Amino acid sequence: MIASFKLVGRVCLAWGWFCVVVGLVAGQARVEAQGPQEELRARYAAAQKFEGAGDWSGAEREWREALRVAPEDARAWVNLGVAMQRQGRVQEAVEAWQRASAIDPKLPGAHFNAGLALSRAGEFARAVGPLRRALELEPENEAARRALALSLVGVERFQEASREIARLLARAPRDASLLELAAQSFMRQRRYAEASVVLRRRLDLPGATGQMWAQYGDALDGAGRTSAAVEAYERAVALAPEVNATRYGLGYLYWKSLRYDEAERVLLELLKRDPADARAAYTLGDLYLAKGDAPRSLPLLELAARVYPKEFDARFALGRALLSTGETARAIAELRAAVALDDRMAVGHFQLGRALLQAGQREEAKRELDRARQLHDAQRDAEVVP
């Protein structure tokens, strides 16, 4: 529903905050040459020289020559993958590392490199397998565990992600990026109380941003601590006054807390900045409707209904405003649309019944009012504690 459109923590590749900043690793397998040893050693030396100079195409050429001499040399496949990855050819690099791991399944670098590259590319589902295998071979590889946690969040396997994050935080309890990722995982699971705890720990560290304070506010509100959420959003707006989404979050929380004067001030300022902000228009329009000022609410709710035609709240509020201003025919149309969007809302049927009565359509009005009564009674009975 529109009233609940608030800021939530966002996820980009590594979600903007949590980035696995580690280098790829070279293969650790022993060279088992299947050709002249001298030529193979020369190719290795030449490739490493190109690498040292940052000439990755030259390095790739030499690693390919080494593989011509020894096609089952897992280490050469790993290093070929690194050379291709450095040139931005990620999928080819992954294929090279997969070839290396097929030759030597116990080569941790091959699994780690493939998983890390896939995670960085946002291919989280493909990244999980090789990263888990890398950790089986090297349980202390924290970079692999970070990438695995990130990938598990990316595929919404939150409980597994939380376990990996907890293991990392046990070693680094003040790691800002880990705390942010933990909060992201908890928020996606709607475990708001836990999210608020880790976010509070993150906010106590340097570098807290307005976005983090806003996410903390969302967690507090989700946990039922709306008054504390308001304070968090006030801090967020103070840190990032230019972010309209954060201002809307503050206005929404004022509105939710029935602090209408403060909500009106924030939402009017936001609409002055962006007259097309339909969320702010809806919230302010609903506020005016609650205060009995239907004419003032009407243009705001019309905007919200145009932008969110599939939202019950928008169509229902507009129908109420139209009914209050005497536009009964339009009110009936909007309330019918609202009921069609969500037939389970007793209040929708009730208001539609009222509008139909005003229009003299008594038979249909009776059906709607009876339906409203049935839904209300069913809800009341469901809330009765045995």
Side-chain angles (χ1 to χ4, degrees), residues 1 310 312 336-346 348-349 375:
M1 294 185 180
K310 301 297 185 182
F312 173 90
R336 278 179 173 153
V339 167
L341 288 167
D342 192 343
D343 183 63
R344 300 164 299 173
M345 299 292 286
H349 292 280
L375 289 167

Side-chain angles (χ1 to χ4, degrees), residues 297-319:
S297 75
L298 196 54
L300 296 164
L301 295 173
E302 286 175 332
L303 169 60
R306 284 197 303 273
V307 176
Y308 299 119
K310 301 297 185 182
E311 289 288 340
F312 173 90
D313 283 357
R315 307 300 290 272
F316 175 69
L318 177 56

Side-chain angles (χ1 to χ4, degrees), residues 186-235:
F186 286 138
M187 290 293 288
R188 297 279 292 279
Q189 297 174 76
R190 299 186 178 181
R191 294 164 62 180
Y192 298 119
E194 292 157 290
S196 67
V197 171
V198 294
L199 282 166
R200 180 67 263 182
R201 289 168 57 188
R202 171 61 187 92
L203 291 167
D204 288 338
L205 300 175
T209 65
Q211 182 181 1
M212 291 177 194
W213 278 99
Q215 189 183 30
Y216 182 49
D218 289 334
L220 291 167
D221 186 40
R225 299 171 57 192
T226 303
S227 296
V230 169
E231 295 177 8
Y233 259 94
E234 288 172 338
R235 184 72 175 270

Side-chain angles (χ1 to χ4, degrees), residues 200-277:
R200 180 67 263 182
R201 289 168 57 188
R202 171 61 187 92
L203 291 167
D204 288 338
L205 300 175
T209 65
Q211 182 181 1
M212 291 177 194
W213 278 99
Q215 189 183 30
Y216 182 49
D218 289 334
L220 291 167
D221 186 40
R225 299 171 57 192
T226 303
S227 296
V230 169
E231 295 177 8
Y233 259 94
E234 288 172 338
R235 184 72 175 270
V237 170
L239 286 171
E242 74 287 353
V243 180
N244 285 350
T246 306
R247 285 186 175 274
Y248 170 74
L250 177 58
Y252 164 81
L253 288 171
Y254 282 146
W255 169 84
K256 182 177 180 180
S257 304
L258 306 183
R259 295 166 62 174
Y260 288 152
D261 290 344
E262 292 161 292
E264 182 180 12
R265 172 180 53 79
V266 172
L267 294 168
L268 282 172
E269 183 176 352
L270 177 54
L271 285 166
K272 184 177 180 180
R273 292 175 172 217
D274 182 5
D277 191 317

Side-chain angles (χ1 to χ4, degrees), residues 35 45 168:
L168 290 162

Side-chain angles (χ1 to χ4, degrees), residues 71-84:
E72 297 301 303
D73 185 345
R75 181 184 173 193
W77 278 108
V78 171
N79 289 323
L80 174 63
V82 173
M84 290 191 293

Side-chain angles (χ1 to χ4, degrees), residues 33-37 39-40 43 64-71:
Q34 297 180 2
Q37 292 287 341
E39 181 180 356
L40 187 61
R43 295 298 181 187
R64 290 192 182 280
E65 286 299 314
L67 287 164
R68 179 184 57 78
V69 176

